[in-house]
Amino acid sequence: MRRMRRLRRPGLREMVAETRLSLDDMIQPIFVDERLDVPMAIEAMPGQYRHSLESAVDEACTLDDLGVPAVILFGIPDHKDELGTGAYDEEGIVQRATARIKEACDLVVITDLCLCEYTSHGHCGLVSGEEVLNDQTLPLLGEAAVSQARAGADVVAPSGMMDHMVIAIRGALDLEGFGDTPILSYAAKYASTFYGPFREAAESGYAFGDRRTYQMDPPNLAEALWEVQLDIEEGADMVMVKPAMPYLDVLRAVKDTFGMPTAAYQVSGEYSMIMAAAERGWIDGERAMIEALTCIKRAGADMILTYYAKEYAKRVM
Ligand code: PBG
């Protein structure tokens, strides 16, 4: 009779492992704050920083040396306004950071593409009263994409969950000669409370309401497949499910249904929960990191956006 325990001994166990983590799949988020001269620790995310332009470049090069293949950049501008102009300013913080990083080292630079860090009200689109406007936002996203591509971004990653954002961005990029710049769409992005610490990190809290009129409702799975399908039809090259761990069923369904290059974003709250419990000695932080990342991969992620990329890289060095 087959006895399942035979293969669970050290040595054999590793050989029959069905899923293997690889640094090649990991993408480290970097926050770059236009107002800073030195990095500032993010309290709710131990080990993570808001960087100055200079320290962001240094950090990217350190990650490159450690073998981390890619970063995703989030910008915090020195001033925010109603129109989120910092997002599509050719001299904006993400545009400058992208250009500097591409000059200094050669990892893949992905740029988060959204208005929320740049708008005074903190929403991912233009607003009228308390309504977040969809179609009026699209040309601005197109402009932001072009400015990021011009700065040297290897991939643009729209995260605002506006309908038709992908086709608008694809059109704008193609028109300006960036037909080869891929789009990683935050296709199935849920209105999640697990983004809490990110709002401290990127100062992107909102002045009124919440994001539930544009981000997805957590109970929904069929809707996620529609979101992903529409983004693929509009021209997305890669799709993302976000957050990761509470949404592994969505990740599996997206990967199986479309077979697209699929990313999962292990978000700020997922990181903070592990770090906080580990700090208290309630769980083993290192093993929790490995287990969480392995399970995300097992559920179908080809790429993982994770605040642990650097930590993982150090571990496998
Ligand atoms: C902005 C954006 C958010 C995150 C990534 N891009 C915040 C939000 O939608 O409220 C969250 C990332 C994280 O929590 O780590 N559109």
Side-chain angles (χ1 to χ4, degrees), residues 45-263:
M45 302 177 72
Q48 304 298 317
Y49 296 84
R50 265 200 254 167
H51 285 281
S52 66
L53 181 55
E54 296 306 320
S55 73
V57 177
D58 292 345
E59 179 69 3
C61 294
T62 305
L63 291 165
D64 191 19
D65 291 341
L66 285 167
V68 176
V71 294
I72 181 163
L73 299 182
F74 293 93
I76 303 124
D78 66 359
H79 93 282
K80 304 187 189 223
D81 56 39
E82 284 271 296
L83 301 177
T85 45
Y88 40 93
D89 180 349
E90 300 267 334
E91 289 297 306
I93 184 63
V94 156
Q95 289 78 357
R96 281 191 289 145
T98 300
R100 288 284 310 279
I101 292 170
K102 289 307 291 181
E103 222 170 72
C105 40
D106 59 16
L107 37 55
V108 171
V109 173
I110 305 172
T111 45
D112 183 77
L113 172 42
C114 194
L115 297 190
C116 64
E117 290 114 48
Y118 306 90
T119 49
S120 43
H121 44 73
H123 280 290
C124 302
L126 297 178
V127 304
S128 165
E130 303 227 326
E131 201 194 331
V132 177
L133 304 172
N134 195 91
D135 294 6
Q136 292 85 332
T137 301
L138 300 179
L140 302 183
L141 296 177
E143 260 188 73
V146 169
S147 67
Q148 293 176 347
R150 196 164 278 143
D154 296 294
V155 179
V156 297
S159 62
M161 289 296 281
M162 293 297 116
D163 287 331
H164 304 159
M165 64 181 185
V166 174
I167 199 170
I169 289 165
R170 186 71 273 156
L173 287 171
D174 291 355
L175 203 65
E176 295 294 326
F178 297 105
D180 286 332
T181 303
I183 299 174
L184 164 59
S185 179
Y186 287 65
K189 178 177 181 181
Y190 287 84
S192 171
T193 198
F194 294 107
Y195 306 151
F198 178 91
R199 307 229 161 109
E200 176 203 335
E203 277 190 13
S204 68
Y206 28 77
F208 58 85
D210 55 38
R211 302 206 200 286
R212 285 185 289 180
T213 65
Y214 42 104
Q215 296 179 350
M216 284 185 57
D217 200 18
N220 299 351
L221 170 61
E223 188 191 355
L225 299 180
W226 276 109
E227 280 284 2
V228 171
Q229 180 175 331
L230 290 168
D231 281 7
I232 294 169
E233 287 170 5
E234 289 179 30
D237 301 281
M238 300 179 275
V239 294
M240 191 196 300
V241 173
K242 179 185 174 193
M245 210 149 77
Y247 296 86
L248 295 183
D249 57 328
V250 180
L251 184 56
R252 170 49 62 201
V254 165
K255 185 65 200 177
D256 286 350
T257 306
F258 301 103
M260 289 285 285
T262 303

